[in-house]
Amino acid sequence: MELSFLILKQIVSMFLMIVVGYVLVRSKAVEKNLGTFLAKVVMYVVLPCTIVDAFQIDNDPKTFSNLLFAFVVALVFNILLIILSYAFKSIFKMNEIEQASVAYPNSGDILIPLVTSVLSPTMTVYCCAFMVVQLLFMFTHGVNLLANDSEKNLSNILKNPNVIAIVIGILLLAMNITIPEIVGNVIDSFASMVAPLSMLVIGCSIANCDLKRGLAKKRTYLIVLIRQVIFPIIFLGIIKITSLDTFIQDGASILLILYMTVASSPAATIVNIVQSHDMDSSYASIINVVGVICLIFTMPIMVFIFQMFI
């Protein structure tokens, strides 16, 4: 109960940061393209620094087993999400954007700031485990689903700043290398900006879309309900039935983070993929925005339910 309350408080704080970004753009205090600039800062500097910083932990057998567990579970979870998306697509007659929105949760600019603030910066390594597996699927299955385009997918994965940061972080961990203090202070400083900058980006994005139309579209709430409530409940049942939390000593803590990822709003990368292929991104943006707004209510409830049963 205490953790879900802490998450609620942090999400409310993050939502207020979103409001700041929204007001800045809507009041024309800043240019409309501020969000694009900040998004690049977050993608190419802040998130990679946060990821590298997260891997500055003790290199011991326990750390290795925890990471291996996280990667294996992340792989299984991503496969199950894709399978479930096809099942629900048939039931609810979803289009490709709707299917991708339920299949791919936001494992980066929402979850990393949340886990960093509420749990611990070092716990974001488990977000990274989910993220790298998800990116492999997103730039293969996801791109083919949305745009029927299989070209340069491997290149997109390898050039992704977060994947590069994860590789650097793993190498530093494997070789037991500690980043020098001066460089470490710079990385820490950028990493501390992850929550406010990420939320400002989302606020600017909301300000640039038709929010009234998005909130009035009933179909959007169905997609968000499936993504942020129904799927997490299904996964909770799987975790409970398989006793997955008992597989290793820190299983419950690791699964909580991976479960929070499953319960997150639709991935912002979906919007980016749609935009990059000259498709209509307005509907994808609306689903993303409504998902972020609803996350204020859904995430604390899902975490509370997780704590009740696991």
Side-chain angles (χ1 to χ4, degrees):
M1 181 66 179
E2 182 181 353
L3 179 58
S4 57
F5 182 67
L6 287 174
I7 289 174
L8 174 61
K9 289 200 300 183
Q10 183 58 33
I11 289 179
V12 170
S13 297
M14 290 165 66
F15 181 74
L16 292 176
M17 296 176 197
I18 291 173
V19 171
V20 171
Y22 177 85
V23 171
L24 283 173
V25 174
R26 295 297 290 184
S27 65
K28 298 183 179 180
V30 298
E31 297 294 329
K32 282 187 175 182
N33 61 0
L34 173 68
T36 303
F37 168 74
L38 290 179
K40 290 181 179 179
V41 174
V42 171
M43 174 176 285
Y44 291 102
V45 181
V46 177
L47 273 178
C49 284
T50 305
I51 291 167
V52 171
D53 190 48
F55 279 95
Q56 289 290 286
I57 52 180
D58 293 334
N59 183 1
D60 53 39
K62 183 180 178 181
T63 300
F64 177 79
S65 63
N66 284 353
L67 276 174
L68 181 61
F69 177 76
F71 273 107
V72 172
V73 174
L75 176 62
V76 173
F77 277 14
N78 273 281
I79 292 172
L80 288 175
L81 282 169
I82 292 172
I83 293 172
L84 283 171
S85 75
Y86 279 99
F88 277 74
K89 177 184 180 180
S90 299
I91 296 170
F92 295 101
K93 310 300 180 186
M94 295 179 184
N95 60 32
E96 289 77 10
I97 289 175
E98 291 171 340
Q99 184 186 353
S101 295
V102 299
Y104 295 107
N106 190 318
S107 59
D109 52 2
I110 291 289
L111 251 292
I112 287 180
L114 187 58
V115 170
T116 300
S117 302
V118 176
L119 298 173
S120 167
T122 58
M123 297 294 278
T124 57
V125 293
Y126 306 121
C127 295
C128 297
F130 192 99
M131 185 191 301
V132 72
V133 174
Q134 184 190 58
L135 286 170
L136 290 171
F137 283 105
M138 187 173 288
F139 283 103
T140 50
H141 166 266
V143 171
N144 288 329
L145 172 67
L146 291 166
N148 194 26
D149 181 6
S150 59
E151 296 182 2
K152 299 182 180 179
N153 291 337
L154 180 60
S155 174
N156 287 332
I157 295 169
L158 295 177
K159 290 189 295 185
N160 186 286
N162 295 326
V163 172
I164 295 171
I166 290 169
V167 171
I168 292 172
I170 291 175
L171 288 175
L172 292 174
L173 177 64
M175 294 184 287
N176 204 23
I177 296 175
T178 302
I179 296 173
E181 184 179 357
I182 294 177
V183 178
N185 288 339
V186 174
I187 291 174
D188 287 342
S189 297
F190 279 121
S192 67
M193 299 163 64
V194 66
L197 282 187
S198 297
M199 297 310 105
L200 282 175
V201 169
I202 294 171
C204 293
S205 175
I206 293 174
N208 288 322
C209 77
D210 190 345
L211 184 59
K212 185 177 180 180
R213 177 191 165 204
L215 294 176
K217 194 175 179 67
K218 294 180 181 179
R219 178 77 175 180
T220 306
Y221 293 98
L222 171 64
I223 303 305
V224 171
L225 178 69
I226 294 170
R227 158 95 300 283
Q228 296 173 209
V229 177
I230 296 177
F231 275 18
I233 290 174
I234 292 173
F235 275 79
L236 181 61
I238 293 170
I239 293 169
K240 185 67 176 177
I241 291 170
T242 59
S243 298
L244 202 56
D245 57 305
T246 63
F247 281 31
I248 61 172
Q249 185 178 348
D250 295 330
S253 299
I254 297 169
L255 284 171
L256 171 61
I257 294 171
L258 297 178
Y259 176 79
M260 286 171 64
T261 307
V262 170
S264 185
S265 55
T269 310
I270 295 168
V271 180
N272 298 335
I273 291 173
V274 171
Q275 287 175 335
S276 67
H277 287 82
D278 298 321
M279 300 167 64
D280 181 13
S281 62
S282 58
Y283 187 37
S285 298
I286 287 170
I287 293 174
N288 185 269
V289 166
V290 173
V292 171
I293 294 171
C294 292
L295 198 69
I296 300 170
F297 309 100
T298 60
M299 182 63 81
I301 293 171
M302 291 300 101
V303 170
F304 176 70
I305 295 173
F306 179 91
Q307 291 185 296
M308 282 181 61
F309 291 96
I310 305 299

